Amino acid sequence: MLKKLILVMSVLGSISFANASEVEVEQWQAPDCSKFEKFSVCRNAVKADYRRARQSQMKSHGLSFWYYERPTYKGEALTSAFKDKVEGALTLKFDVTTDGKTKNVTLYSASSEEVQIFAQPIITAIENWTFMPIDNMVKGVEWKTEFFYEQKECESEADSDEDDTCNVTDDSE
């Protein structure tokens, strides 16, 4: 199988780094995109569903974003994780103070130890988020981020090698 490098991030939650031994293991499976004609349509549907659920939950707490920062994934280890197509999900938790600042951002759960490589950039971004001022502090807001890639089948098993890539042959000669 050839995994086409398409990263899908569904931003779902909050983040702060706890000790690796304190991070809960969460059950996670990449979304089933087989019913969609294109992977990008599946990715967008997954993101839209999550976004609607997050907006509803945020509104129920009286939270509205003032400033939202996306994570910046830089560095050799992160580049390697993307190249290796590390998949999984992270759930973070954080509190929102009355002035709209985030605090106590922690990594709550991860689907695998490997996916935890992506946690620090997400934590850093969440620490910079700002919400509209609120009357009462909100504790334990959850934010989930998923990483998954499109998978394509080789034309035959013989075309696939050990590292799940399809062998391309040139029949033009």
Side-chain angles (χ1 to χ4, degrees):
M1 291 175 108
L2 174 63
K3 293 183 178 180
K4 185 176 178 185
L5 179 60
I6 297 180
L7 169 68
V8 178
M9 291 183 2
S10 299
V11 179
L12 306 173
S14 82
I15 302 178
S16 170
F17 232 72
N19 293 331
S21 61
E22 298 173 7
V23 175
E24 291 187 22
V25 176
E26 79 179 64
Q27 296 297 317
W28 180 83
Q29 183 175 346
D32 178 11
C33 291
S34 62
K35 63 184 175 189
F36 294 91
E37 201 169 302
K38 290 181 165 183
F39 179 75
S40 60
V41 174
C42 173
R43 179 192 61 224
N44 291 338
V46 168
K47 289 171 69 174
D49 288 347
Y50 183 75
R51 191 175 304 116
R52 281 190 288 276
R54 295 294 318 139
Q55 288 171 346
S56 177
Q57 182 186 17
M58 293 287 189
K59 285 181 184 180
S60 73
H61 290 299
L63 296 174
S64 179
F65 275 106
W66 179 265
Y67 173 75
Y68 172 86
E69 180 175 300
R70 293 179 185 269
T72 302
Y73 300 99
K74 291 184 180 178
E76 193 173 315
L78 288 163
T79 300
S80 178
F82 283 121
K83 182 179 176 187
D84 294 342
K85 299 176 181 97
V86 172
E87 293 187 321
L90 299 170
T91 301
L92 305 128
K93 285 191 175 185
F94 60 96
D95 301 333
V96 179
T97 63
T98 56
D99 63 354
K101 304 261 191 245
T102 58
K103 71 179 215 176
N104 301 325
V105 182
T106 59
L107 176 60
Y108 176 71
S109 67
S111 61
S112 70
E113 191 172 318
E114 292 79 21
V115 78
Q116 291 183 39
I117 188 74
F118 300 117
Q120 191 56 54
I122 300 169
I123 290 170
T124 301
I126 290 174
E127 289 173 340
N128 291 321
W129 291 356
T130 306
F131 293 85
M132 299 294 292
I134 52 178
D135 294 333
N136 298 307
M137 182 174 180
V138 178
K139 292 186 175 196
V141 178
E142 288 189 10
W143 194 266
K144 186 173 185 174
T145 301
E146 297 179 328
F147 298 85
F148 61 99
Y149 304 84
E150 179 176 20
Q151 298 184 7
K152 293 209 174 189
E153 298 289 330
C154 295
E155 288 185 24
S156 72
E157 286 297 317
D159 291 341
S160 181
D161 57 21
E162 291 177 16
D163 65 354
D164 278 349
T165 59
C166 295
N167 298 321
V168 179
T169 57
D170 184 2
D171 295 332
S172 61
E173 294 182 28

